Amino acid sequence: MMSIRKRVGIIGAGPAGLLLSYLLSLEGIDSLVLESRSRAEVESTIRAGVLEQGTVDLLKKIGLGERMEREGAVHQGIELRFDGSGHRINFHELANGRGITLYAQHEVLKDLIAARLKQEEQPILFNVENVQIAEITSDQPHIHFQHEHEQKELECDFVAGCDGFHGVSRAVIPEQGHHIFSRSYPFGWLGILIQAPPSSKELIYSYHERGFALISTRSPTLQRMYIQCDPLDDIANWSDELILEELQARLESKDQWQLQVGPITQKGIVAMRSFVIEPMQHGRLFLAGDAAHIVPPTGAKGMNLAIADVRHLARAFARFYQQQQTDLLETYSTTCLRRVWRAEHFSWWMTSMLHRFPDDDAFQQRLQRAQLEYTVSSRAASTSLAENYVGLPFTW
């Protein structure tokens, strides 16, 4: 068996794993990223790409913002639409000049992979199979895996589990001493990519009696759109024509707004859930990103939480290796969970306010309307939405 020695073993080449590896390299700390997919698969998997102001600032600070600044779309607000009227939440005015940048997750991953490969030879192993984590409660954990038909072992000081909700990392954490918080929502999102010009300058979140709808964007010629649906529905039941008709109906507007249409290049249905594990660490295994927490996509927090996690984790590792102090490692979970639960609440709040629930009655609908009307008419409520959407400071 071939043996490899690195200070930090990282499982998963998503935003959390790749950014952690890059941040560690800037501190002179060696690591190795193990990824089950190919590089092409990682770089082509389409995910949402709403970047908080703090995420944008961090990527710029570490030298990864050039293409994002050139190709990303900066938005200074969103629109809440209900009863045929649109109401703009002005981020720039309400959140001290902060905004969001729309830059797809797979583009962030391309930038991270390219930058990491420039730093050293083979810092990422793709197409890794049969990953097994062992001895995480010792001071010498190790990871067994297969790569290019060869059995290998990675010896390390720490393991970072950045391999998502269905990865192997969280599975090795014992139930005893940990708490799982989970909620499944009785609806999903049917998402499409469509070749068309933008239908709006900013994102539109629409509350409608037929269900929620969202207008987003990817580029001047490629748009991302969503409608609420049954999470167990078959995508085959949704023709392109039906999807576009439903979008137009749920986004109806008194100002005669029209959906910009074109060929639909991708469509699929995803379920929605909230999930948190506490604490986010066990022994020398530290979870980050979707391996530790899931939020419904309504609040656009998933990738941003992952980036906040590994920012803290990289600082903790740097403190350990440079100053021989463990305080940041010991408080990693507590520090991250404060932000995680704020994001969980915001995402739940946005989801509950904008979606139609299967057991909705007139009382529930009146509550949602009252919340929407208050949010768009009260500066305090609008400010709360704006501050949470653009992202709280990393020091929060």
Side-chain angles (χ1 to χ4, degrees):
M1 181 182 295
M2 178 181 177
S3 182
I4 306 168
R5 172 67 191 175
K6 299 287 183 179
R7 287 180 172 178
V8 181
I10 302 173
I11 303 175
L18 290 171
L19 181 60
L20 176 60
S21 180
Y22 186 80
L23 290 173
L24 292 178
S25 71
L26 296 180
E27 299 289 346
I29 302 169
D30 60 350
S31 67
L32 179 64
V33 179
L34 306 178
E35 171 56 49
S36 62
R37 298 169 294 171
S38 68
R39 179 179 178 179
E41 289 175 303
V42 171
E43 294 185 339
S44 62
T45 301
I46 306 298
R47 292 288 186 270
V50 176
L51 307 185
E52 295 177 353
Q53 187 68 62
T55 297
V56 171
D57 294 343
L58 175 62
L59 293 176
K60 290 179 181 178
K61 181 179 180 180
I62 61 176
L64 296 178
E66 180 181 352
R67 196 163 70 93
M68 174 187 66
E69 289 188 275
R70 185 173 67 250
E71 300 178 12
V74 178
H75 288 193
Q76 298 293 349
I78 60 171
E79 178 184 319
L80 296 182
R81 183 176 295 185
F82 57 98
D83 293 341
S85 297
H87 307 267
R88 185 170 186 259
I89 305 298
N90 189 327
F91 295 161
H92 186 80
E93 176 185 341
L94 297 168
N96 299 320
R98 292 179 293 156
I100 58 171
T101 296
L102 271 68
Y103 187 61
Q105 177 174 303
H106 67 281
E107 302 297 345
V108 176
L109 297 182
K110 289 178 185 178
D111 295 341
L112 282 166
I113 291 171
R116 192 69 183 93
L117 292 177
K118 283 183 179 179
Q119 292 175 317
E120 64 180 270
E121 184 179 354
Q122 210 169 30
I124 310 163
L125 297 183
F126 295 100
N127 298 305
V128 168
E129 299 177 304
N130 303 322
V131 174
Q132 297 179 5
I133 309 169
E135 304 296 335
I136 59 173
T137 57
S138 75
D139 59 1
Q140 293 183 326
H142 49 270
I143 307 170
H144 295 282
F145 62 97
Q146 183 175 341
H147 182 246
E148 295 180 343
H149 308 291
E150 183 178 2
Q151 294 296 326
K152 299 181 181 181
E153 179 184 52
L154 173 60
E155 299 176 348
C156 48
D157 300 325
F158 300 98
V159 177
C162 306
D163 49 344
F165 185 77
H166 299 288
V168 301
S169 298
R170 194 178 67 250
V172 305
I173 294 181
E175 293 183 7
Q176 186 175 4
H178 289 78
H179 298 280
I180 299 292
F181 302 88
S182 181
R183 170 171 294 182
S184 294
Y185 294 85
F187 41 72
W189 276 11
L190 190 162
I192 65 168
L193 281 173
I194 183 170
Q195 291 180 349
S199 292
S200 172
K201 293 181 179 179
E202 296 175 334
L203 276 69
I204 302 174
Y205 286 76
S206 179
Y207 172 83
H208 192 271
E209 63 181 10
R210 299 172 71 96
F212 169 77
L214 171 62
I215 296 294
S216 184
T217 185
R218 285 294 173 270
S219 74
T221 59
L222 189 64
Q223 315 309 318
R224 190 70 161 161
M225 304 177 187
Y226 302 90
I227 55 175
Q228 176 185 342
C229 68
D230 184 334
L232 301 179
D233 204 349
D234 188 339
I235 193 63
N237 295 331
W238 291 86
S239 67
D240 293 359
E241 294 76 14
L242 179 58
I243 294 171
L244 296 176
E245 288 175 6
E246 199 66 24
L247 277 164
Q248 182 65 54
R250 298 186 190 192
L251 289 149
E252 62 182 353
S253 174
K254 295 175 181 177
D255 63 4
Q256 305 304 310
W257 175 91
Q258 288 294 316
L259 181 71
Q260 299 297 311
V261 300
I264 294 177
T265 59
Q266 182 188 86
K267 58 183 177 181
I269 295 174
V270 296
M272 297 177 66
R273 65 167 64 93
S274 298
F275 173 89
V276 180
I277 183 171
E278 291 188 4
M280 294 166 50
Q281 59 194 91
H282 181 70
R284 295 243 173 160
L285 170 63
F286 294 81
L287 302 179
D290 286 358
H293 42 72
I294 296 286
V295 291
T298 325
K301 294 298 166 207
M303 178 165 58
N304 295 290
L305 280 180
I307 287 173
D309 287 348
V310 297
R311 177 183 175 273
H312 288 302
L313 190 54
R315 291 175 63 236
F317 285 145
R319 178 79 66 92
F320 175 81
Y321 285 111
Q322 295 167 5
Q323 302 177 33
Q324 292 74 53
Q325 296 183 20
T326 62
D327 56 324
L328 295 185
L329 288 172
E330 293 165 0
T331 60
Y332 165 74
S333 185
T334 302
T335 301
C336 290
L337 284 170
R338 185 165 179 249
R339 187 184 192 91
V340 166
W341 279 112
R342 176 84 293 276
E344 290 283 358
H345 178 270
F346 177 67
S347 300
W348 164 84
W349 177 76
M350 287 280 285
T351 301
S352 300
M353 179 173 65
L354 291 163
H355 290 74
R356 295 297 295 270
F357 287 75
D359 57 351
D360 265 359
D361 55 19
F363 186 83
Q364 172 70 20
Q365 294 165 24
R366 291 294 191 276
L367 291 177
Q368 289 176 308
R369 288 282 301 280
Q371 183 64 68
L372 282 163
E373 290 170 0
Y374 175 65
T375 299
V376 301
S377 62
S378 163
R379 184 177 181 86
S382 295
T383 299
S384 178
L385 191 160
E387 287 182 344
N388 281 275
Y389 202 99
V390 303
L392 297 171
F394 282 133
T395 54
W396 186 84

